[in-house]
Amino acid sequence: MPIDLRRSGVLLGAALLAAAPAQARRIEVRAGPGAPIARALAAALPHDTLLLRRGTYREPTVQVTRPVTLLGEPGTVLDGEGQRALVIVRAAHVTVEGITFRHTGVSGIDDRAALRVVDATDCRIVGNRVEQAFFGIYLARVTRCDVRDNVVSGTSGGEMDAGNGIHLWYSRDVQLTRNTIEHHRDGIYFEFTHGGVARDNTSRENSRYGLHFMFSDSCRYLHNRFERNAAGIAVMYTNHVEISDNLFADSRGSASYGLLLKSISDSRIERNTFRSNSVGLHLEDANRNQVTGNRMERNGWALRLMASADDNTVAHNDFTGNAFDVVAVGDRNSTRMHDNYWDNYRGYDLDRDGTGDVPHHPVRFFALIVENNPPALVLLRSFLLDLLDLAERVLPVLTPASVVDRAPAMRRQA
């Protein structure tokens, strides 16, 4: 028997109400005065679906405390009027799908989010839009959640006026798939998160990092696009991660990186493209990592090795069109290089086995000068520096002898 609660502003179309209490019902909700979604939730049983009919809902923050589905028709909008968070989920097996969240306003005292899931398992957040929110989708202490096909667009403000697009904290086994995040502080943020997978997402034009994760072991980042983020991507204090088949592009500035690895160990960075960044890949206190099969194209510095980076392998990568392929800071270097393609390699291959017969030293003399005196960069294309580089190549004195590819590839590898 359907239940009509029109006078309360909610229409409940519960077709299977009394006859089959164990079977999930569909409850129709229409925008109106008061709090129609909250009232419908109060009447819902576990595993019911609330079908939100198109319209704009303006009501106090919706609290979801039982396993239900919130399903929005096209044109369904929850508007925070710049004053409040919109939905908080505190139950397992909740699905939120097809809803536009809008206008949370900025908060200086809490991480106000359009959609927050707390202490929950097995949530699904699918096909939503988040517009002009402080934080977009915020997951705290969740397990096995699926976040996919959402579009999250922030306020375009500075770091103080924007939270993170998709934020994970103390969570496990979360899947982020095919989301688009832009104009937030950090597009995707992982902290104390384990076993997460970010795949096929696009994170662009964020005011700090496109992806920022710390203390998040055993996560995988696959086939994502990170473009025009102010500071690029930062990966810190983490072990055993895989970063494969991603694009890191157009992060330019004095402190911008395609990918910054700091205190990262035993990880794989494979088959990525680093294109047109100030620094393509930066390794600092990064140990025993495998950097293989990547393309380094048209960066200022393709690879920066700090003295604290130890025992890494750089192999089978392509270095093309970079101002500087490698800069190594410090006297010691234990990074092993082999089988990389360098477009400025001037050696030869007499036996035609595809490997250069003489080692390649990829650190330019001028790169060391610029590292210590950045204004000297204005001399990059000068004839004098070409002569200095040639002299250093013939008789290396200042460039670190330990930074060497002893088996440079004659053809592109990646």
Side-chain angles (χ1 to χ4, degrees):
M1 174 187 294
I3 299 176
D4 190 346
L5 298 179
R6 290 177 186 275
R7 283 180 296 178
S8 68
V10 180
L11 175 64
L12 304 183
L16 304 173
L17 176 61
Q23 188 167 351
R25 309 169 303 172
R26 172 167 289 198
I27 301 173
E28 296 184 9
V29 184
R30 297 183 185 278
I37 300 175
R39 287 197 299 273
L41 281 168
L45 297 174
H47 309 295
D48 282 352
T49 294
L50 273 63
L51 176 61
L52 308 186
R53 292 301 189 187
R54 66 178 301 152
T56 299
Y57 297 75
R58 299 182 178 90
E59 61 179 89
T61 303
V62 173
Q63 305 281 345
V64 181
T65 58
R66 61 193 66 181
V68 296
T69 294
L70 298 181
L71 176 62
E73 282 188 338
T76 298
V77 178
L78 269 66
D79 191 338
E81 302 175 289
Q83 301 296 318
R84 57 186 171 270
L86 295 169
V87 173
I88 298 177
V89 174
R90 300 181 185 276
H93 297 284
V94 170
T95 294
V96 179
E97 181 172 356
I99 299 173
T100 296
F101 299 87
R102 185 176 292 165
H103 296 152
T104 64
V106 174
S107 173
I109 59 175
D110 65 353
D111 293 343
R112 182 183 295 170
L115 173 59
R116 178 189 294 265
V117 183
V118 183
D119 295 320
T121 66
D122 303 289
C123 69
R124 297 178 66 249
I125 302 170
V126 180
N128 302 286
R129 292 187 62 87
V130 180
E131 301 172 351
Q132 301 290 305
F134 188 40
F135 281 74
I137 299 169
Y138 195 118
L139 308 181
R141 300 185 300 274
V142 306
T143 302
R144 295 186 304 278
C145 282
D146 179 12
V147 181
R148 59 184 166 89
D149 297 316
N150 301 285
V151 177
V152 183
S153 183
T155 61
S156 300
E159 291 187 20
M160 299 301 294
D161 297 327
N164 301 325
I166 299 178
H167 183 107
L168 274 70
W169 186 72
Y170 268 108
S171 297
R172 298 189 65 88
D173 302 323
V174 174
Q175 305 275 330
L176 306 184
T177 309
R178 295 191 302 273
N179 301 286
T180 298
I181 311 101
E182 61 187 9
H183 304 149
H184 275 272
R185 179 175 58 201
D186 294 340
I188 300 172
Y189 183 90
F190 281 24
E191 187 173 6
F192 300 109
T193 293
H194 298 266
V197 178
R199 184 192 302 269
D200 294 314
N201 301 285
T202 297
S203 182
R204 62 194 177 206
E205 298 177 2
N206 295 289
S207 60
R208 192 169 65 178
Y209 298 116
L211 168 68
H212 186 191
F213 66 96
M214 301 190 294
F215 309 108
S216 297
D217 294 345
S218 304
C219 292
R220 305 175 70 203
Y221 306 88
L222 313 172
H223 297 277
N224 301 288
R225 298 178 67 88
F226 302 106
E227 301 172 282
R228 300 183 299 281
N229 296 291
I233 307 301
V235 181
M236 302 178 180
Y237 312 109
T238 296
N239 301 319
H240 304 289
V241 297
E242 178 184 353
I243 303 172
S244 299
D245 301 296
N246 302 284
L247 171 67
F248 304 92
D250 300 309
S251 290
R252 301 171 185 167
S254 58
S256 298
Y257 308 90
L259 176 60
L260 164 67
L261 300 181
K262 180 177 175 58
S263 298
I264 302 298
S265 298
D266 303 298
S267 297
R268 295 157 51 195
I269 299 91
E270 300 177 333
R271 301 182 304 279
N272 303 285
T273 297
F274 299 85
R275 179 182 301 149
S276 300
N277 304 287
S278 294
V279 177
L281 176 61
H282 175 103
L283 273 65
E284 180 176 352
D285 191 25
N287 307 313
R288 301 182 303 280
N289 299 293
Q290 303 292 316
V291 180
T292 59
N294 302 284
R295 290 186 293 180
M296 306 284 191
E297 303 172 345
R298 304 193 304 275
N299 300 284
W301 289 261
L303 174 62
R304 175 180 281 163
L305 297 170
M306 306 304 286
S308 55
D310 193 30
D311 199 21
N312 298 288
T313 297
V314 176
H316 300 284
N317 304 287
D318 288 347
F319 291 80
T320 59
N322 304 295
F324 306 108
D325 287 333
V326 179
V327 63
V329 178
D331 297 330
R332 58 183 294 273
N333 175 69
S334 61
T335 296
R336 294 175 296 278
M337 293 185 176
H338 61 85
D339 294 294
N340 299 289
Y341 173 78
W342 312 89
D343 63 351
N344 60 0
Y345 176 58
R346 298 296 179 264
Y348 44 85
D349 179 20
L350 294 179
D351 57 6
R352 299 182 182 276
D353 64 352
T355 300
D357 295 341
V358 295
H360 177 61
H361 294 265
V363 178
R364 289 181 62 184
F365 174 56
F366 186 50
L368 300 177
I369 296 175
V370 172
E371 187 67 19
N372 295 300
N373 302 280
L377 193 59
V378 298
L379 302 174
L380 177 62
R381 305 298 178 190
S382 72
F383 177 67
L384 174 61
L385 289 175
D386 289 340
L387 289 178
L388 287 174
D389 279 336
L390 178 61
E392 185 67 16
R393 190 177 299 123
V394 173
L395 186 62
V397 175
L398 298 176
T399 54
S402 60
V403 183
V404 58
D405 187 335
R406 299 193 180 281
M410 299 301 293
R411 293 180 290 276
R412 296 189 179 212
Q413 304 287 291

